[in-house]
């Protein structure tokens, strides 16, 4: 699997180690507050050594985000899973509580990349759209276009993604006060709960913009 | 009201202008990526001129955040309002869609301040706790300890705050795809909707940590 160039430290493995370290460093300073020199130092490399793997800070950030997505995707293949789509959100929250460094890096970069000309802006715009679209499709496959609560599948997808991100922020600031899996579960149970759907909730008015 | 020192430009008003500009600059670069020189330049001041108002970058950030809270608080006095507690969340989302610069600054700083030793960490930890506590108290006054949906008031408070923050992030990345007030309304209607509360949703198990 590895295409090792140096004995005892295959190149692919070293690259992953650099990405994991860079993710931590980006989490601390954001893209703007992070220097290649700082990442290199933390990796025990010279700046030239780091540039050998990633030619620019931007290339490094993009690789870092792609690696995070790979790790997430590997965890979220639905093959052979018995959970409902919504219970997977709680499972993800449970997992996230074990990897605060990753959650922090994600939160900082997702927010920082809302600013003009940020190199990860495109990554996050596409990522959010993909998350909503895939999740809405899964919900539609399970419930049809409208959940038992009367919330449309596509609205539920945006709301679940929002709850996850927003709870992460509160949890990062107060890990002892916020129980993410319990709160996500309380939320998804309400979305799944059957009731006569009040008409306005089932079809909120289209945006006037 | 103003204690003007220069003709035509009262000191208090100038201070507010600096804070509003600084909020934009912090939104673009975060705390770590922003320099006092950059803020001064955008304000049309020398760095010495800016230091006259705010002695350090940290003092400036804290004042910026306090100003944002003042503006929010002024908008959210409940006196004489007829909305329910939950419909106010949609009203806030509606308002936020008109001030993307403020929302961006809030999102970037709230996330960046989750990192070790950030000067706004304490501000946001206290702010989130205060938001949850005040909102839970309002919900309890309106519904008792448990909402009609079976969700506990304190859980609903954390969830509404999370949905607002998470939707802001998606909206900042794709303003044309995310209708914040409609989504917040879809969410709060489900929280308010009456149903036989399933026992686990009414009282999620305590965290095992």
């Amino acid at each position: 699997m590895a295409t090792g160039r140096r004995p005892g430290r295959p190149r692919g493995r070293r690259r992953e180690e650099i990405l994991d370290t860079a993710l931590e460093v980006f989490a601390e300073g954001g893209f703007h507050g992070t220097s290649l020199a700082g990442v290199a130092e933390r990796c025990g490399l010279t700046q030239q050594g780091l540039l050998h793997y990633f030619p620019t800070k931007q290339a490094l950030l993009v690789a870092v985000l792609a690696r995070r997505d790979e790790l997430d995707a590997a965890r979220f293949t639905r093959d052979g899973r018995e959970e409902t789509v919504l219970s997977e959100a709680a499972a993800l929250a449970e997992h996230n509580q074990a990897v605060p460094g990753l959650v922090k890096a994600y939160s900082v970069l997702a927010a920082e990349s809302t600013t003009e000309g940020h190199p990860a802006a495109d990554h996050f715009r596409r990522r959010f759209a993909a998350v909503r679209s895939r999740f809405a499709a899964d919900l539609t496959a399970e419930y049809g276009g409208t959940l038992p609560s009367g919330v449309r599948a596509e609205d539920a997808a945006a709301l679940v993604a929002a709850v996850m991100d927003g709870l992460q922020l509160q949890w990062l600031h107060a890990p002892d006060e916020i129980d993410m899996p319990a709160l996500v579960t309380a939320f998804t149970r309400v979305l799944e709960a059957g009731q006569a759907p009040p008409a306005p909730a089932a079809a909120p008015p289209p945006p006037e913009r």
Side-chain angles (χ1 to χ4, degrees), chain A residues 143-158:
Chain A
Y143 298 105
T146 303
L147 276 65
S149 57
V151 177
R152 296 186 304 180
E154 65 187 84
D155 290 351

Side-chain angles (χ1 to χ4, degrees), chain A residues 20-207:
Chain A
D20 292 345
T21 303
L23 192 64
E24 286 169 22
V25 185
F26 278 126
E28 287 161 21
F31 179 77
H32 294 305
T34 295
S35 68
L36 275 179
V39 176
E41 190 188 343
R42 192 86 73 86
C43 294
L45 286 169
T46 62
Q47 197 164 334
Q48 274 309 314
L50 179 60
L51 292 172
H52 176 64
Y53 290 91
F54 303 98
T56 63
K57 190 167 93 167
Q58 182 161 341
L60 176 60
L61 178 66
V62 168
V64 158
L65 295 170
R67 167 127 174 94
R68 170 92 214 271
D69 277 353
E70 270 172 34
L71 294 173
D72 273 357
R75 216 169 46 242
F76 274 81
T77 350
R78 303 203 68 228
D79 307 344
R81 304 278 288 270
E82 289 187 10
E83 293 96 344
T84 63
V85 179
L86 287 171
S87 69
E88 276 184 17
L92 176 55
E94 180 85 44
H95 168 83
N96 283 339
Q97 290 200 158
V99 288
L102 286 178
V103 173
K104 196 178 290 181
Y106 166 85
S107 297
V108 172
L109 295 170
E112 194 193 46
S113 63
T114 62
T115 60
E116 195 68 20
H118 192 284
D122 198 50
H123 168 87
F124 278 104
R125 188 170 50 247
R126 282 185 288 109
R127 186 188 172 282
F128 276 123
V131 164
R132 284 193 298 267
S133 152
R134 195 186 60 222
F135 200 52
D138 285 348
L139 287 169
T140 301
E142 189 157 342
Y143 298 105
T146 303
L147 276 65
S149 57
V151 177
R152 296 186 304 180
E154 65 187 84
D155 290 351
L159 289 171
V160 172
V163 159
M164 304 277 302
D165 289 344
L167 285 178
Q168 284 176 14
L169 203 54
Q170 292 180 50
W171 171 72
L172 287 169
H173 280 291
D176 294 336
E177 291 169 41
I178 298 295
D179 181 356
M180 291 201 292
L183 285 164
V184 169
T185 299
F187 174 55
T188 55
R189 286 223 167 106
V190 171
L191 283 181
E192 285 178 311
Q195 62 187 51

